[in-house]
Structures are given as C-alpha cells and as structure tokens.
Amino acid sequence: MSEFAQRGILIAVEGIDGAGKTTQVRMLVNALHDTGESVTASKEPTNGQWGSILRQSATTGRLPLEQELEAFINDRQEHVDGLILPALKSGGIVILDRYFYSTIAYQGARGANVKTVWAEMVKRFPLPDVVFLLDVDPIIGIHRIANDRGEKPNHFEDRANLSQARTIFEAMHEENIHHLNGALPIDAIHDQILEFFVDGPLKAKRCAKDYGCTDSYHCMFAQSNTCEWNNLRARIPHAHALSSY
Ligand code: TMP
C-alpha cells in the first residue's frame, strides 16, 4: 500500500480534445469548495519547462515520437514530485485534467506500444483512485474546439489522430476507470462524476467503518455525526440526493 493510501485521493479526468475535461474538473472543484477538504486541481502538460516545449510543438509541429514521449514523461515526473505526491501525502484531493492515460492514448496513436507504455506509467507514477474517461466522437471534439473555444485545431487535434486516441481510450478497462458519455449535457455528466466520486473513493477514504458503509441511515457513526464521509457528503451540493446510501 502506498504512503498516501490512507487519505489522499487522486482523480484523473481524461478523454480526447474537446471531450469536456476542463469543464468537469472545474465543476468538481467547485462542488468540493465548501467541504473543508484541501483540493488541488492541476493539468498536464504542465506549464513547466517540458510542458512549455510540448505546448509550443502543438503549434509549430510535433516532436519525433521518442522525444515527445520522453518530454511528456519528464513533465509528469516533475509534476508528480513537485505537486501531486506532496498534496496526496498531506491527505488532500488532487484532480487532474489529463494524466498518464493521455500518454498511452496519444503516443499510442502515433505508434508507441500501448502495453509497454502502460506498464512503464504504472511503475513510475501513482495510480489514480478513479479515472473519469469522457468519450466523444472526434467530430464533436473538433467542433467544440472550433466553435466553443474559437480556436483553430492544433497539431495534436487532427481527426485521424483523435480517432486513434479515442479507440485506445475506449479499450481501457481497469477497476479504477469509469467511462462516461461526453456528449451528454454538462450537468448530467457532472452529476454522474459526483455520484461516483462520493460513493466510490470518497467513501473508501473517509468512511468511519473500515469495512465500508452499506447503510448510512442506520449507522451509529452517521447518527452521531462522527462519520467524516457522511458529514462531507452533507456539505457537497446535491451529493446527498445523488448518493445511493
Ligand atoms: P491540452 O490541450 O489538454 O492542454 O493538451 C495538449 C495536447 O497534449 C493534447 O492534444 C493531448 C496531448 N497529450 C499527449 O499527447 N500526451 C500526454 O501525455 C498528455 C498529457 C497530453
């Protein structure tokens, strides 16, 4: 068990460009705002030295695959060491707009071996408690980039590349990965994310019973307001209505 497994919660929001990740990260951060929990939101590529090179390559032309892969990994290593691990070790909730699943999907789409990259990522970097994978058709993604953001698609955002990345994302099936339909209304997706987060990792890490709660109504800790999870849930807008306990 990792050092931060007791309290820290790592959440990654993933999907192709235009899937709605940034919006959902913002909405989840807002929902947790008044809970008293320490919440850190961050994104990859970062604004650090490697992230800046990668962002520039999105407009000027992509790096050769091996260099690109190395740059994303170096960027992530700095991110994990400088921000993600310290926040998790102090028991906080960390919400990421892209993480290593993007490397598997995007560099996999360019020809990197998906299994090899996945194995390396899991060996080097902390595994998220939950991954919300927003799925949209690349046509919708590109449309959103152009229409909603008023931006011209960059070198990462061509349709064939995004289709390949989407196929790799779709084939990701692990216990911590939760696939969501990114074409649904924004609020509906937010409710799904919130419900899954509250009843999943938040309960696993904050419930007073170490064997997990199946009935918070008749729970002695909940009744006496000493269940941290139950108290937190009451402070998250809508969470009580969404939660199945
Ligand atoms: P952004 O648009 O989310 O800032 O990300 C920039 C691009 O970087 C995006 O098209 C996806 C790509 N990317 C990778 O190719 N590999 C990675 O590991 C990450 C984090 C992003």
Side-chain angles (χ1 to χ4, degrees):
M1 191 180 283
S2 55
E3 295 165 64
F4 57 83
Q6 281 301 311
R7 289 191 59 80
I9 302 176
L10 182 57
I11 304 163
V13 182
E14 291 276 13
I16 63 167
D17 298 77
K21 298 179 296 303
T22 309
T23 303
Q24 292 302 330
V25 167
R26 195 185 58 239
M27 290 173 88
L28 185 57
V29 170
N30 287 343
L32 301 176
H33 191 258
D34 293 324
T35 58
E37 287 286 317
S38 154
V39 180
T40 306
S42 193
K43 65 172 294 173
E44 292 189 1
T46 70
N47 293 323
Q49 50 171 333
W50 296 102
S52 305
I53 294 170
L54 287 159
R55 267 177 218 298
Q56 205 184 346
S57 78
T59 45
T60 54
R62 290 179 70 169
L63 302 170
L65 174 60
E66 281 308 315
Q67 277 181 39
E68 186 177 81
L69 188 56
E70 199 187 333
F72 276 114
I73 292 172
N74 290 344
D75 185 49
R76 180 160 307 121
Q77 192 69 60
E78 286 188 356
H79 198 202
V80 166
D81 294 343
L83 184 141
I84 298 173
L85 268 185
L88 291 174
K89 282 180 180 166
S90 67
I93 298 172
V94 179
I95 307 172
L96 301 178
D97 183 339
R98 293 197 186 280
Y99 190 44
F100 67 65
Y101 302 88
S102 282
T103 310
I104 299 165
Y106 281 79
Q107 280 58 62
R110 280 188 87 182
N113 184 291
V114 166
K115 275 194 175 163
T116 310
V117 176
W118 196 320
E120 189 184 347
M121 295 299 112
V122 170
K123 202 165 81 190
R124 283 180 80 136
F125 302 118
L127 198 67
D129 293 281
V130 62
V131 182
F132 293 112
L133 228 165
L134 301 179
D135 177 60
V136 288
D137 191 300
I139 296 172
I140 298 181
I142 288 171
H143 182 81
R144 284 179 178 167
I145 293 162
N147 281 36
D148 304 356
R149 296 194 213 151
E151 288 171 16
K152 241 178 82 191
N154 66 38
H155 286 288
F156 282 89
E157 295 163 345
D158 83 78
R159 192 168 148 197
N161 186 44
L162 294 184
S163 287
Q164 263 301 108
R166 182 196 195 194
T167 303
I168 298 172
F169 275 132
E170 277 178 329
M172 293 180 176
H173 296 290
E174 295 278 316
E175 218 184 328
N176 63 337
I177 298 178
H178 206 67
H179 292 259
L180 299 167
N181 180 356
L184 290 176
I186 288 171
D187 288 336
I189 300 172
H190 171 64
D191 284 355
Q192 289 178 1
I193 288 179
L194 200 56
E195 179 180 1
F196 195 83
F197 168 70
V198 169
D199 287 345
L202 192 69
K203 186 171 76 152
K205 298 279 172 89
R206 299 291 188 274
C207 176
K209 299 175 192 157
D210 55 12
Y211 52 88
C213 187
T214 50
D215 179 4
S216 68
Y217 190 72
H218 294 104
C219 170
M220 169 182 96
F221 298 103
Q223 297 301 327
S224 58
N225 286 335
T226 52
C227 174
E228 206 183 339
W229 172 63
N230 204 52
N231 293 344
L232 272 172
R233 203 167 54 137
R235 279 184 246 128
I236 302 173
H238 311 305
H240 219 281
L242 295 168
S243 172
S244 39
Y245 296 94

